[in-house]
Amino acid sequence: MVARRFLTTGVGFVLAVVAVVLTVRGVGEAPFRALGVSTPDEGLRIATPLVRMVVALAAGFTLGGLVAAVGVLPGRGPGDKGDGRLSPHAFVAVRRVGLVAALWAVAASGLVVLAVIVGTGGSARVLSLPGAFLASLGALEEPAGFLVSAVAAAVVAVMCRVTFSWRTAVGALAPAALAVVAPVATGVVASVGGGHDIATDAAVLAALALAAWLGVTATAGAHVAAGRPHVDVVRRRARRVGHVCGPVALAGLAIVAVYLVRDGWATLYGALALTQLALVLVAFLLHLRGLLLPTAGAVAAATAVNGLLAAGLPPGLLRPASAQETLLGFELPGPPTVLTLLAPGRFSVLLDVLALALAGLYLAGVLRLRRRGDAWPPGRTAAWLGGCVLLVWTTSSGFGEYAMAMFSVHMGTHMLLSMLVPILLVLGGPVTLALRALPSGEDPSGPRDWLLSLIGSPVSRFLTHPVVSLVVFVGSFYALYFSPIYAAALPYHWAHQLMYLHFMATGYLFFWPIIGVDHSPRPLPHVARLALLLASMPFHAFFGVALLGADTVIGQRFYADLSLPWVTDLLRDQSLGGGIAWAAGEVPLVVVIVALLVQWSRHDKVEGERHDRRADRDGGAELSAYNAMLADLARSRR
């Protein structure tokens, strides 16, 4: 078995080298001439795609291996014995992931150097000039992305080498996902001009899907081939991962190819893009037949094609783009009107896929309860679906389209995503629904046990602490807009999406303990909930007033470069945004106060009925004891 693995790895490496050499020589110097930069020597042009292959494959085995260790392989996990430790098989998988993550960090660090050399004319002399190297690293987006990837991969390596805990392994998924996404979001898809917003979202989803699919399939295939425990469970869980990751990867890569290739399908780059799509399709067909290791091989081959694609120049990169297409990814139709703001606009791939996934999972849980004959309040379903629909409208209507280009509209988007959308979502009670719908007592532990472990974790208790949630929710307004962060983030599509996700996450964590249907890791009495909500209102109002009175434009360079003809006064548009933040932001808070008072009243009514039933059972013993205590106090004071 070991000899076969070494033989397979060696053959794969030789084929990769041959493919890279043929691709580099087939491409020649054309990409560098088209961009007007010096052509690096052939050795450098061969080394860069090879190292990219190593990075892409290591990313897949790391992220997917972690997913397999915490959610596919059997283990005691958090549900058994209460210790939350990894099973022996999951522990070995996490240790191996740590080694691969270390390789990933080293290879990504090498790509930082290679990308800077290629981007500065192909001369290694830049390495001897620290100032020039750092300046180039700051000016070139892709090397910065690989630097983030290297640091995040190193963090994953350390976490995997020191932990025995299932929760820590779950926590390692966050830096692993960041390490996968960073080079993609800052790579060539972000530079194609028109359509780079859609292409970037699709590339991020495809990269995450391919990475998770590769690692899960390889790890599960090795587990099944070795005849280890719970083979049927591992096979079933890996199959579910493939059912999701396969279509997402195929659709994402197809969208990316449309924008990168454009009308250049007859070029070598177009042929490579088609080859990658064909390999993913073959992998999915093998997956449908239940062949784990052959599926992993096909996914690995599709992942390796990323290195070959990096050797060429996407034809779409040479397409002329306007200022709006370069900065936004699309052309705005004209001045905003009520009709254009309300009507469908630019499709936000990442956030709309998120909204559809949230709605689909919620409805699946409701349907499972109904099949069992259990009821679920329709008001909660309406609130959750309303939040998902509002998320789609906020990001994919004309409102979301103009929010990318106008501060005033952006501020309206901020208010909706940080306040109204989270309010509707927390009223949906998704955790309660999941705990009722998911099966309990699974062997090995399943999603219900995992969810209970995460809800009761120290991280959850920390994030839902009233002081922490208040500071993060309110402080985000000031930290984002009254610092250089917002201005620095404006030119990048990935930064806009990250802001939107941050708005929703902080809003959800703040409103969950206040009016959430789900039991909070830190339950608060109703009077404390009201105090927490009232404490946030002055800070929110002052933020709007501060924007109204500001005399400098936030993000002036970006908005000036856009030069929208209907926004002649940037400061006035910013003041309008401050007014929106002040006025529109108070309305959801009033709604929350009303909802909280209603919940408080219902809680007191339930408590009163419970006390009445207890008094009926024991003849009012509690009240009699209380009256006797008062009588004793009165006698002692005489």
Side-chain angles (χ1 to χ4, degrees), residues 592-612:
V592 172
I593 291 178
V594 173
L596 177 59
L597 293 177
V598 171
Q599 291 178 352
W600 196 348
S601 175
R602 290 177 178 175
H603 178 267
D604 287 347
K605 182 179 179 181
V606 171
E607 286 294 310
E609 293 174 350
R610 185 172 64 85
H611 282 294
D612 291 342

Side-chain angles (χ1 to χ4, degrees), residues 418-500:
S418 65
M419 304 187 78
L420 195 53
V421 170
I423 289 170
L424 292 172
L425 293 180
V426 298
L427 290 175
V431 176
T432 303
L433 174 62
L435 293 178
R436 289 185 57 185
L438 292 171
S440 59
E442 286 187 292
D443 183 27
S445 58
R448 191 177 189 277
D449 302 309
W450 306 337
L451 181 59
L452 284 171
S453 177
L454 293 176
I455 294 299
S457 67
V459 175
S460 297
R461 290 180 56 82
F462 173 77
L463 292 176
T464 54
H465 190 285
V467 176
V468 174
S469 61
L470 175 63
V471 170
V472 173
F473 178 68
V474 175
S476 296
F477 289 84
Y478 296 89
L480 178 62
Y481 297 105
F482 297 145
S483 75
I485 297 177
Y486 180 73
L490 278 174
Y492 307 108
H493 176 73
W494 62 265
H496 283 273
Q497 301 294 64
L498 186 61
M499 279 193 289
Y500 291 165

Side-chain angles (χ1 to χ4, degrees), residues 21-43 45 118 268 311-313 318:
V21 171
L22 293 176
T23 302
V24 168
R25 292 183 175 177
V27 170
E29 301 180 1
F32 302 95
R33 291 176 180 173
L35 295 176
V37 297
S38 302
T39 303
D41 59 54
E42 189 176 64
R45 286 186 283 138
V118 172
L268 179 58
L313 180 68
L318 301 177

Side-chain angles (χ1 to χ4, degrees), residues 134-169:
L134 293 176
S136 301
L137 184 60
L140 300 172
E141 294 180 28
E142 195 171 38
F146 281 116
L147 179 60
V148 172
S149 180
V151 173
V155 171
V156 174
V158 172
M159 294 178 70
C160 290
R161 296 302 297 175
V162 302
T163 185
F164 294 89
S165 166
W166 179 86
R167 288 173 178 168
T168 305

Side-chain angles (χ1 to χ4, degrees), residues 625-638:
Y626 179 72
N627 290 333
M629 180 191 69
L630 293 179
D632 291 340
L633 288 174
R635 284 193 296 269
S636 64
R637 291 177 179 177
R638 292 176 181 175

